[in-house]
Amino acid sequence: MKQLRKIAVECKNIGLSYDGGKTEVLKDINLRIEPGEFFALLGPSGSGKSTLLRLIAGFNQHQRGQLLVDGKDITGVPPHARNIGMVFQSYALWPHMTVWDNVAFGLVERRIDKATIKQKVGAVLDLVGLSQYASRRPNQLSGGQQQRVALARTVVIEPQVLLLDEPLSNLDKKLRVQMRQEILSLQRKLGITTVFVTHDQEEAMTTADRMAVMDKGIVQQLGTPAALFDYPCNPFVANFVGTTNLISGEIDDLTGDMLRFRTPGIGEIRLPKHPDARAGKIAISFRPHTIRMTVGDAIRDGAYVWLNGSIEHVEFLGEFTRYRVRVGEAVVTADQSHFSGMAPFPPSAPVRLGIETSQIRYLPL
Ligand code: ADP
């Protein structure tokens, strides 16, 4: 199959409500998905991801704003008249049809000539590695193979945009990891602009060129997976993308080179000044893997600020050990890399936690 023409999808000030305006599910959505991009919508259940995806497909209608595909406003265009392909969570394959007929269905419906159908279905089955299964029915295939049929059936019509609604949720963990790579490789071969809905941050981070983190119908942050992980804009994103420690408190002294962060549970922490650290209520966020842990004296290194705590819980995870450490009234999660032969710190041991100050983020509350 040849590369498709790459086109952009743009949401401008989109608002959508159900129940005649009572339940606002999408609030002022603004995003531009670049031509050929693999874009993930990530968020917890109920955040509005599927509503937005179905809106792009034409199954939902927004009351406010514009939806531009390839620069044209397609608001009001019915789903069948949009050249958009969607893969559903359930795959929605025809159980009584063979793999070949399932894949050919959309082309037959469009009254494409037989020779072209033969050529296109053959090419797409080849692309997803299912040529030898063409005469089987869906129930004679594994979950991963059914997923590939659903993808083949969608891309064979050469849609302008490919929409994927939690496409991996019916597969077991190992297959999910394999299939997400397969979907990405198919997307790259075709160059098709793709929007992928998932509540699984690992799935979004490992596939997406960029992603939008959604909560309560609002795009909380938009960017590359690394940018969102390293520079979350608020406590929700810091917590949802990766694991973090969030401590709420107040900055009440910004004189000199250092600032004073007071938190009721821990007390007072002195930290170097930072452009995002403003006086008032604020949360600091630091990732468990950036913490140094020691049982001895604090290491004299200006890069760290040290907290005293005691281990409450130890989880050995193989690659690393995860400790929950009580610091005053707070509990801090600290991950330490594991190498064979290393004994973990014992539960209830007093420890010092070195927080690398360059890794601390200051987030508005
Ligand atoms: P997500 O895909 O992130 O899990 P959804 O887009 O499915 O979230 O749902 C967002 C919100 O919209 C939820 O609170 C859900 O209950 C509500 N919702 C979805 N569909 C309808 C509907 N047809 N009528 C009323 N509310 C709906």
Side-chain angles (χ1 to χ4, degrees), residues 61-196:
Q61 283 301 321
H62 48 284
Q63 288 89 22
R64 289 170 297 287
Q66 286 181 303
L67 172 65
L68 306 177
V69 174
D70 201 17
K72 289 185 232 21
D73 190 350
I74 60 163
T75 305
V77 176
H80 64 267
R82 297 183 181 191
N83 191 9
I84 289 178
M86 182 149 166
V87 175
F88 297 90
Q89 208 169 352
S90 60
Y91 313 148
L93 300 176
W94 301 108
H96 59 286
M97 285 187 190
T98 61
V99 166
W100 181 281
D101 289 338
N102 263 285
V103 175
F105 187 80
L107 299 173
V108 174
E109 238 189 351
R110 284 168 174 75
R111 301 181 194 284
I112 309 284
D113 68 87
K114 280 201 174 124
T116 310
I117 292 181
K118 192 162 178 231
Q119 179 268 321
K120 287 194 174 192
V121 174
V124 80
L125 286 180
D126 217 20
L127 188 65
V128 298
L130 283 180
S131 300
Q132 71 271 43
Y133 297 95
S135 56
R136 292 214 189 166
R137 290 187 205 290
N139 66 2
Q140 297 170 309
L141 300 175
S142 70
Q145 289 165 338
Q146 289 180 31
Q147 171 67 265
R148 283 190 225 144
V149 178
L151 279 165
R153 188 182 61 169
T154 308
V155 299
V156 78
I157 59 162
E158 299 179 8
Q160 287 180 304
V161 183
L162 176 62
L163 306 178
L164 306 168
D165 191 3
E166 301 257 5
L168 305 175
S169 55
N170 288 333
L171 305 174
D172 64 49
K173 173 81 184 151
K174 206 166 168 194
L175 205 50
R176 279 208 301 273
V177 172
Q178 186 195 327
M179 281 308 297
R180 74 186 184 211
Q181 286 160 8
E182 283 189 23
I183 291 176
L184 186 60
S185 123
L186 178 72
Q187 189 268 346
R188 293 291 192 244
K189 279 185 198 143
L190 297 175
I192 187 169
T193 307
T194 299
V195 189
F196 178 73

Side-chain angles (χ1 to χ4, degrees), residues 18-19 25 44-51:
Y18 291 115
D19 311 330
V25 171
S45 174
S47 57
K49 310 177 297 289
S50 300
T51 302

Side-chain angles (χ1 to χ4, degrees), residues 159-290:
Q160 287 180 304
V161 183
L162 176 62
L163 306 178
L164 306 168
D165 191 3
E166 301 257 5
L168 305 175
S169 55
N170 288 333
L171 305 174
D172 64 49
K173 173 81 184 151
K174 206 166 168 194
L175 205 50
R176 279 208 301 273
V177 172
Q178 186 195 327
M179 281 308 297
R180 74 186 184 211
Q181 286 160 8
E182 283 189 23
I183 291 176
L184 186 60
S185 123
L186 178 72
Q187 189 268 346
R188 293 291 192 244
K189 279 185 198 143
L190 297 175
I192 187 169
T193 307
T194 299
V195 189
F196 178 73
V197 160
T198 179
H199 62 271
D200 180 336
Q201 55 113 0
E202 183 181 303
E203 230 164 74
M205 288 178 78
T206 51
T207 53
D209 296 311
R210 286 187 312 140
M211 60 196 202
V213 176
M214 294 188 65
D215 187 38
K216 301 188 176 80
I218 295 170
V219 173
Q220 302 285 332
Q221 196 172 358
L222 190 66
T224 62
L228 268 57
F229 184 81
D230 287 345
Y231 301 100
C233 71
N234 62 29
F236 177 83
V237 176
N239 223 0
F240 202 77
V241 180
T243 305
T244 201
N245 292 291
L246 277 171
I247 298 178
S248 310
E250 191 166 356
I251 293 174
D252 65 357
D253 181 10
L254 278 163
T255 50
D257 295 337
M258 305 293 277
L259 60 85
R260 183 168 63 192
F261 176 72
R262 279 183 196 272
T263 168
I266 299 180
E268 186 180 309
I269 307 173
R270 290 274 174 184
L271 294 164
K273 274 196 176 167
H274 189 280
D276 297 336
R278 300 199 182 88
K281 292 203 186 311
I282 206 158
I284 60 169
S285 164
F286 48 96
R287 305 268 182 209
H289 70 280
T290 63

